Amino acid sequence: MNSMISVSIFVLISSILYWLYWRLTNRRILLVAKQLAGPPPLPILGNALTFMMMKPEEQFKKIGKLIEQYGDYTKFWLGPQLIICIKDPHDIKHLLTSNKVNKKGPSYEFMVPFMGRGILIGGPNFRAFRKILNPSYTKKSVDAYKVIFNEETERFATLLTQKDTKPFDVYQDAVQCTTKAVCRTLMTISEDEISEIRCLKEVVRHTQGIYSLIFSKISLWWLQISLIFRLSGYYKKEKYYLRIIDEMVSDIIERRRQALNDADETIETEVMGVIDRFLVNGYSADEIKFQVFTLFSSGQEPSAKIASSVLLILAHLPEWQDKVYKEIMQVIGDSDECLTREHFKKMPYLDMVFKETIRYFSIGPFIQRRVQEDVTIKNGEITIPAGAVILLPIHEVHRDPRYWDEPNKIKPERFSPDNKIEHKAFLPFSLGAMDCLGRVFGIALIKTLVVKVLRQVELSAKGRIEDLDLHAAISVEVTEGYNVSVRPRNMTLLTVCILALVPAVMYWLYWRWTHRHMLLLADQVPGPPALPILGNALTFMIKPEEQLKKIAALIEQYGDYTKFWLGPELIISVKDPNDIRQLLTSNKVNQKGPAYDFMTPFIGKGILTGGPKWRIYRKIANPAYSKKSIEKFEDVFNEETEILGKILNVKDEKMFDVYFDVLQCTTRSVCRTLMDLSADDILKIRHLNHVARETQNIYGLMFSKMTRWWLQIPFVYWLSGHYRRQKYYLNIVNEMISDIIEIRRKKISKGVENDVMGVVDRFIVNGLSETELKFETFALFTTSQEASAKIASGVLLFLAHLPEWQDRVYNEIMEVVGSEQYVTEEHFKKLTNLDLVYKEVLRYLSIAPLIQRTVEEDITINNGKITLPAGSVVVIPIHEVHRDPRYWDEPLKIKPERFSPDNKRDQNAFIPFSLGLMDCLGRVYATALIKTLVVKVLRQVELTATGKLEDLDLNVAISVEIIQGYNLSVRPRNRSLVLLK
């Protein structure tokens, strides 16, 4: 006890002595500080406690309040560090352009692990680096980039035309566009090389996470203590981020070094990229890695964020969108001419919106500098001493009512030449020797992007833009994301050609005579009254998402056996589980229904859609899906799902849609197993990631053709935007599949053992034509990776919403598999709780909500009471069977325990993978991959979600999916310091 008192007294006396010494040696700083208003500080700590008790997002708000309380010149102390906040625009300009204040402040030190000491952060080589790079950012150089800007933004705009009308975060697509543009210009990477760069996609996906980590270190004081940081989950994130950045940057530098060495003649200085300039100036790869990542991330991420913000503002302000669109059409119209700066000079409305965007969404909300020599401000009243840190609150200046009329409203007209503004109060790109190097580059790219987008689509958004929550961190961003909806501008109003009455009646009479047997048997089945010729088609001329609900309503009204007519086509819905089993296993009903014809442009008539050769194709493919083959896939399943677990482990605790990360995992797994591609092969496949990301939209296009009757008229379909979407998708799918087939052809020529052949190899050696090969390869690729990702995401979402079941499954995993062990089929037999959850997901989120078959021969059901006639179409409403209270207790609730062996249920009422000869080929494959994925993820992270799972909206289409996405949060299980939360 006495020793503790002695230590305490010693620490107290030492602190007081240090404080007195510090005050003596820093008396000039203290003298200046007295001239400035600010909150009263504590000895030693200063005002640090004020900020230490706050969340990061509240700290900047607190600075804003201090400025509001104490004025344009406000001081506060963070320990011994004097921070002087200066909001007067004239003094801000004076300071930023002064040689006495040209060193970045201490906050930038937290960026050093990622960006070193150079262009962005400052350092001994800052001026040398900047001088080397300046030629790549001149107007002349940026003009030379115009062809690439036009190509990449045109692709981006075309991609947006393929979207449906649901809101989506446009940033996720914009950042892909700006990334490719930066790679092809500043990095001088060819279009073909981009897909081969190691970890590029991972770095792009995590760029916001990287900046978020840096901001956490800046604003959470305990993370600035090295020991605590190393024990926290943030350190593991930082290590992961640094590794993928190093791999990406090293790959890019090596490619440019090789290109320079291989060049037949000297590359002209004017067209050199930034890496080339460093290399020819004698810098080594290690010396420039930091600078390359700095230029890469500060080129693609802010450009994407500003471009997304411009599109968001235009979506919320339709009158300004109309002005900009008309201006674009007047200046360039539909011409294929390359957009240049000369065009932009004639687009004042676009410029006004752009400037208002960078005012409202400040790309650099705060600038921090360290004073190197005494500097005088406020007309000589205040002298800031060397060593002080100044904070320039750009975001606050941009919202100051003294300089801006209604600053919290978005009013592009404020930048009209007719309106006088205080130009010194507009500081989007900083000023002076350390201003934004890439402003000319960014403006040209962003404006090109906006013009290309507006020419092709009309933007819309819900609510008021001023009501969106903003998060001011390293930059100002929209918390909810940049959510907009798009609609192609060339959408034509479709009209239906009505047949002449007399030929229609004659056709109807002829049809009734030739189909009298079908009509006679149809009378045995109840259903709604039908009109001549049209049948019940008018009943289904409703929104696609309402059509399946309508079928459910008819079943509820007319019973387990319900008929309706779509024109001359007899549809009979059968909901009785025993009859469903009989039909699906009968040789009389083993042809897919007509709805599958709308899939044939993508997957032909084969395994998935049926056709004359589907049995042959299935026989060829079967060995690749056997249990023996899947046991050989276990290595890949374990490797890829382990990578997914690590990716989720470094996520922050914000909600995110897990589907997209899971999809990357299942896509790679399918490529490395069924497609028999190596990890290196995957990098060479054109459009692979793009096709994977667009798979849901491809299925959405098919579903639109199935459910929108006018799109089934070829002429109308050709005139619609859907036809252009189909052409675009078919093109990228064809290129992707061609690459896969070509790679496997070359490998087969060297010899492959039969028992380890993938499906592509089996199709090739069995002599399928090129067209057959492409259709069957894409059918098996897409049904394997997309369906597995959707089910796996469903399982993770269920576990996130059901913590008690998550605990059961996790404890079971640790008991059966352990924390590190390789996962095998034998483990799954013992993971009973996981199986219960898996089955409940398949029940609640039916992967095939409706099955359709064509009756080839008359078949009797319902104990002989009903005979289905040949030529009729059977619809089996799996989703409705899975929700029927006759077979399931509380079917609308999620209860995994219902699949416990102790609970008796009708086995025929659970049909997740269909039945019979045309059942799901990949059920064993998918089950093994999904369960391995869940085990690997749960061992690394704990899942959480908000709200009730049953309250989520479902979209019942080709499969059942959650409209809001598979949104959850993750938290590493091995986090050492729980208090760091």
Side-chain angles (χ1 to χ4, degrees):
M1 185 71 179
N2 290 333
S3 61
M4 286 185 65
I5 294 171
S6 300
V7 169
S8 300
I9 292 170
F10 175 76
V11 169
L12 179 62
I13 293 171
S14 298
S15 299
I16 293 171
L17 289 171
Y18 170 76
W19 181 61
L20 292 171
Y21 171 77
W22 181 87
R23 288 184 65 84
L24 179 65
T25 55
N26 290 273
R27 53 190 180 277
R28 287 193 68 247
I29 289 179
L30 291 166
L31 190 64
V32 170
K34 287 182 180 179
Q35 303 173 33
L36 301 168
L42 294 171
I44 302 174
L45 292 175
N47 306 106
L49 288 177
T50 304
F51 295 96
M52 287 166 68
M53 300 297 110
M54 292 181 173
K55 294 178 180 177
E57 59 269 21
E58 293 174 353
Q59 293 180 12
F60 283 161
K61 291 179 183 177
K62 180 62 179 177
I63 292 172
K65 289 179 181 177
L66 290 176
I67 295 169
E68 188 177 342
Q69 181 179 355
Y70 294 103
D72 285 350
Y73 305 89
T74 299
K75 73 160 187 294
F76 55 90
W77 294 88
L78 294 180
Q81 182 69 66
L82 173 63
I83 310 291
I84 301 174
C85 231
I86 297 164
K87 193 182 169 188
D88 179 81
H90 296 85
D91 281 327
I92 289 176
K93 182 178 182 181
H94 170 56
L95 290 167
L96 289 176
T97 55
S98 170
N99 287 328
K100 299 176 180 179
V101 191
N102 59 6
K103 186 177 180 182
K104 296 288 178 83
S107 291
Y108 292 86
E109 292 295 314
F110 299 106
M111 296 183 177
V112 170
F114 294 93
M115 301 177 183
R117 298 182 184 281
I119 299 161
L120 184 64
I121 299 168
N125 291 326
F126 159 73
R127 284 184 170 81
F129 288 157
R130 179 115 182 186
K131 186 177 180 181
I132 290 169
L133 296 171
N134 273 332
S136 290
Y137 289 91
T138 62
K139 289 181 180 180
K140 187 175 181 180
S141 291
V142 172
D143 285 345
Y145 301 152
K146 65 179 182 287
V147 173
I148 292 171
F149 286 175
N150 277 262
E151 287 177 0
E152 292 301 336
T153 56
E154 183 70 30
R155 287 185 187 132
F156 170 62
T158 303
L159 175 65
L160 295 191
T161 65
Q162 324 306 325
K163 300 278 187 183
D164 54 29
T165 55
K166 294 177 186 174
F168 67 99
D169 187 348
V170 75
Y171 171 83
Q172 302 302 328
D173 294 303
V175 77
Q176 299 296 325
C177 171
T178 58
T179 298
K180 290 190 73 173
V182 167
C183 285
R184 293 182 62 193
T185 55
L186 299 176
M187 305 288 118
T188 335
I189 299 295
S190 71
E191 189 174 357
D192 291 337
E193 284 182 300
I194 291 173
S195 61
E196 300 171 3
I197 295 171
R198 296 196 308 271
C199 299
L200 173 64
K201 293 179 178 65
E202 288 86 344
V203 171
V204 173
R205 190 165 67 245
H206 289 296
T207 302
Q208 288 183 305
I210 291 167
Y211 283 120
S212 177
L213 172 65
I214 293 168
F215 183 64
S216 295
K217 288 185 75 174
I218 292 171
S219 53
L220 297 174
W221 62 272
W222 59 84
L223 293 181
Q224 296 168 19
I225 301 169
S226 181
L227 177 63
I228 294 179
F229 180 70
R230 284 179 172 273
L231 292 173
S232 73
Y234 291 93
Y235 178 63
K236 185 160 57 174
K237 277 188 187 182
E238 183 176 88
K239 281 182 67 179
Y240 170 73
Y241 291 152
L242 289 173
R243 180 181 65 77
I244 60 175
I245 289 168
D246 183 70
E247 287 194 28
M248 179 195 78
V249 170
S250 297
D251 195 3
I252 293 173
I253 294 171
E254 184 54 36
R255 288 172 187 275
R256 290 314 306 157
R257 187 196 305 282
Q258 195 64 44
L260 289 173
N261 291 340
D262 295 345
D264 293 332
E265 53 190 47
T266 306
I267 298 174
E268 293 181 24
T269 307
E270 291 180 356
V271 295
M272 272 190 177
V274 292
I275 302 172
D276 298 0
R277 294 182 188 280
F278 278 128
L279 293 174
V280 298
N281 276 276
Y283 287 96
S284 68
D286 289 337
E287 287 177 302
I288 64 173
K289 279 181 182 179
F290 285 135
Q291 308 318 313
V292 172
F293 178 65
T294 299
L295 296 170
F296 170 82
S297 63
S298 59
Q300 49 89 235
E301 199 268 350
S303 297
K305 201 170 281 181
I306 297 171
S308 302
S309 301
V310 174
L311 296 177
L312 184 68
I313 285 177
L314 290 170
H316 277 276
L317 303 178
E319 69 284 1
W320 273 93
Q321 185 176 171
D322 288 343
K323 287 180 183 180
V324 176
Y325 175 68
K326 288 174 183 175
E327 179 178 72
I328 290 167
M329 299 311 290
Q330 184 178 348
V331 172
I332 197 166
D334 290 322
S335 167
D336 291 332
E337 186 181 352
C338 222
L339 284 163
T340 67
R341 280 189 299 118
E342 293 305 312
H343 292 120
F344 300 140
K345 289 176 183 177
K346 301 172 187 176
M347 297 180 185
Y349 288 132
L350 173 60
D351 193 58
M352 290 181 212
V353 175
F354 175 74
K355 286 178 176 174
E356 180 66 348
T357 300
I358 54 180
R359 180 196 71 86
Y360 193 83
F361 299 105
S362 305
I363 203 65
F366 287 85
I367 295 174
Q368 195 186 69
R369 295 285 189 271
R370 188 181 290 281
V371 178
Q372 292 179 285
E373 297 179 38
D374 292 1
V375 61
T376 302
I377 58 171
K378 201 180 179 183
N379 296 320
E381 293 180 26
I382 299 172
T383 298
I384 303 176
V389 172
I390 57 171
L391 189 65
L392 309 175
I394 304 301
H395 185 61
E396 298 299 320
V397 176
H398 284 176
R399 299 296 183 94
D400 195 319
R402 292 175 295 177
Y403 314 118
W404 308 97
D405 176 43
E406 296 183 293
N408 292 322
K409 285 188 177 180
I410 293 176
K411 299 168 67 176
E413 62 269 22
R414 72 172 83 250
F415 285 97
S416 167
D418 300 331
N419 290 330
K420 292 182 179 180
I421 61 166
E422 175 60 76
H423 291 286
K424 290 179 182 177
F426 184 51
L427 304 158
F429 298 112
S430 188
L431 292 169
M434 303 187 88
D435 67 349
C436 176
L437 176 63
R439 61 189 180 281
V440 176
F441 178 94
I443 291 170
L445 174 56
I446 292 160
K447 287 188 175 181
T448 306
L449 182 150
V450 174
V451 171
K452 293 286 187 176
V453 167
L454 283 194
R455 285 207 308 187
Q456 292 209 45
V457 299
E458 183 180 346
L459 306 162
S460 61
K462 295 179 181 178
R464 289 177 68 247
I465 191 165
E466 289 87 355
D467 293 337
L468 296 175
D469 293 326
L470 300 185
H471 175 55
I474 288 178
S475 63
V476 175
E477 56 192 31
V478 182
T479 306
E480 300 94 329
Y482 302 83
N483 297 309
V484 301
S485 299
V486 295
R487 184 176 62 188
R489 288 191 181 271
N490 61 351
M491 206 175 248
T492 311
L493 290 174
L494 307 177
T495 56
V496 182
C497 299
I498 301 173
L499 296 172
L501 182 61
V502 174
V505 171
M506 290 178 65
Y507 169 77
W508 180 62
L509 292 172
Y510 169 77
W511 183 87
R512 287 187 65 83
W513 172 255
T514 55
H515 290 78
R516 56 191 181 279
H517 175 68
M518 178 183 285
L519 290 166
L520 184 66
L521 295 179
D523 286 341
Q524 301 173 8
V525 185
L531 294 171
I533 302 174
L534 293 175
N536 305 105
L538 292 177
T539 304
F540 290 93
M541 288 182 181
I542 51 182
K543 293 179 180 178
E545 60 270 20
E546 294 174 358
Q547 292 180 15
L548 298 183
K549 292 179 183 177
K550 183 64 181 177
I551 292 174
L554 290 174
I555 294 169
E556 188 174 348
Q557 182 179 354
Y558 293 100
D560 285 350
Y561 308 91
T562 301
K563 76 162 185 286
F564 53 90
W565 294 87
L566 294 180
E569 200 159 73
L570 173 61
I571 313 291
I572 299 175
S573 176
V574 179
K575 192 183 171 190
D576 179 81
N578 297 296
D579 282 328
I580 289 174
R581 173 173 282 276
Q582 180 195 342
L583 290 168
L584 291 177
T585 55
S586 170
N587 286 328
K588 298 178 180 180
V589 192
N590 60 7
Q591 185 62 43
K592 296 287 179 85
Y596 292 86
D597 289 341
F598 299 108
M599 296 182 173
T600 55
F602 290 92
I603 52 182
K605 288 188 174 292
I607 291 174
L608 187 62
T609 53
K613 294 186 177 180
W614 75 265
R615 284 184 175 85
I616 297 171
Y617 298 152
R618 176 124 182 180
K619 186 176 180 181
I620 294 169
N622 269 334
Y625 288 90
S626 67
K627 288 187 177 180
K628 184 179 178 182
S629 292
I630 290 163
E631 284 176 6
K632 293 179 179 177
F633 298 157
E634 284 177 354
D635 286 345
V636 173
F637 288 174
N638 275 267
E639 287 173 18
E640 292 299 337
T641 55
E642 182 70 22
I643 291 168
L644 172 65
K646 289 178 179 177
I647 288 171
L648 298 187
N649 205 4
V650 297
K651 296 273 188 186
D652 54 31
E653 294 184 23
K654 294 178 183 175
M655 298 285 284
F656 69 100
D657 188 344
V658 76
Y659 170 81
F660 296 102
D661 290 303
V662 172
L663 182 66
Q664 293 293 323
C665 172
T666 58
T667 299
R668 287 181 57 86
S669 298
V670 167
C671 285
R672 293 182 61 193
T673 55
L674 298 176
M675 304 291 112
D676 206 10
L677 300 171
S678 69
D680 289 336
D681 290 336
I682 291 172
L683 297 174
K684 300 173 186 175
I685 306 297
R686 286 175 293 172
H687 311 302
L688 174 63
N689 287 297
H690 186 43
V691 171
R693 197 168 60 246
E694 290 296 318
T695 305
Q696 287 183 306
N697 290 328
I698 292 171
Y699 281 121
L701 177 65
M702 296 175 189
F703 187 64
S704 294
K705 288 187 76 175
M706 290 177 189
T707 53
R708 292 174 174 160
W709 60 273
W710 61 87
L711 294 180
Q712 297 168 19
I713 303 169
F715 177 69
V716 174
Y717 186 67
W718 292 334
L719 292 176
S720 73
H722 292 79
Y723 177 65
R724 186 165 61 178
R725 287 171 68 185
Q726 179 174 299
K727 279 184 67 179
Y728 171 74
Y729 287 143
L730 286 173
N731 180 56
I732 61 173
V733 166
N734 180 64
E735 291 189 8
M736 179 193 81
I737 296 300
S738 296
D739 284 354
I740 293 173
I741 293 170
E742 185 57 31
I743 289 171
R744 290 315 307 159
R745 256 204 195 101
K746 289 178 180 177
K747 296 283 174 68
I748 288 173
S749 66
K750 299 175 184 177
V752 179
E753 292 180 24
N754 187 61
D755 62 341
V756 294
M757 276 189 173
V759 287
V760 184
D761 298 3
R762 294 179 186 279
F763 286 142
I764 292 172
V765 299
N766 277 277
L768 268 68
S769 70
E770 193 70 15
T771 301
E772 290 173 317
L773 257 174
K774 287 180 180 179
F775 280 143
E776 297 313 308
T777 300
F778 183 61
L780 295 177
F781 169 83
T782 184
T783 53
S784 299
Q785 49 89 230
E786 196 269 349
S788 298
K790 202 169 281 181
I791 299 169
S793 301
V795 174
L796 297 178
L797 185 68
F798 276 36
L799 292 170
H801 277 275
L802 304 173
E804 70 285 359
W805 275 95
Q806 184 177 173
D807 288 344
R808 288 185 197 179
V809 175
Y810 174 71
N811 292 333
E812 182 180 66
I813 289 168
M814 299 310 290
E815 183 179 338
V816 173
V817 188
S819 59
E820 299 293 337
Q821 196 174 341
Y822 184 95
V823 185
T824 69
E825 177 65 27
E826 289 305 309
H827 292 126
F828 300 142
K829 295 175 183 177
K830 301 172 187 176
L831 297 176
T832 53
N833 286 313
L834 172 58
D835 193 58
L836 300 184
V837 176
Y838 176 63
K839 287 177 177 173
E840 181 67 347
V841 171
L842 294 174
R843 181 195 72 84
Y844 194 82
L845 302 173
S846 305
I847 202 65
L850 285 178
I851 295 175
Q852 197 187 70
R853 296 284 188 271
T854 297
V855 179
E856 295 184 282
E857 297 178 41
D858 290 4
I859 183 169
T860 301
I861 58 172
N862 194 18
N863 297 318
K865 296 176 185 176
I866 295 173
T867 298
L868 305 181
S872 62
V873 175
V874 178
V875 167
I876 298 169
I878 302 297
H879 184 62
E880 296 304 316
V881 176
H882 285 176
R883 301 294 182 96
D884 195 319
R886 292 175 295 176
Y887 314 119
W888 307 96
D889 176 44
E890 297 183 293
L892 299 181
K893 286 189 176 180
I894 293 164
K895 300 167 66 177
E897 63 269 22
R898 71 173 82 249
F899 285 97
S900 168
D902 300 332
N903 291 328
K904 292 182 179 179
R905 57 182 179 82
D906 188 336
Q907 300 292 331
N908 290 336
F910 183 51
I911 319 164
F913 297 114
S914 187
L915 294 167
L917 292 174
M918 302 189 88
D919 68 348
C920 175
L921 175 62
R923 62 192 181 282
V924 178
Y925 177 94
T927 301
L929 172 56
I930 292 161
K931 287 187 176 180
T932 305
L933 184 152
V934 175
V935 170
K936 291 284 189 172
V937 167
L938 280 196
R939 286 202 307 200
Q940 293 208 45
V941 297
E942 184 181 348
L943 309 167
T944 58
T946 56
K948 279 186 67 190
L949 190 52
E950 290 87 353
D951 292 340
L952 295 175
D953 299 319
L954 301 184
N955 177 35
V956 183
I958 287 179
S959 63
V960 177
E961 58 193 17
I962 295 169
I963 293 174
Q964 295 93 334
Y966 301 82
N967 297 310
L968 48 77
S969 302
V970 295
R971 182 174 58 191
R973 288 189 181 273
N974 60 350
R975 177 168 291 178
S976 302
L977 296 179
V978 178
L979 290 176
L980 291 186
K981 280 176 62 73

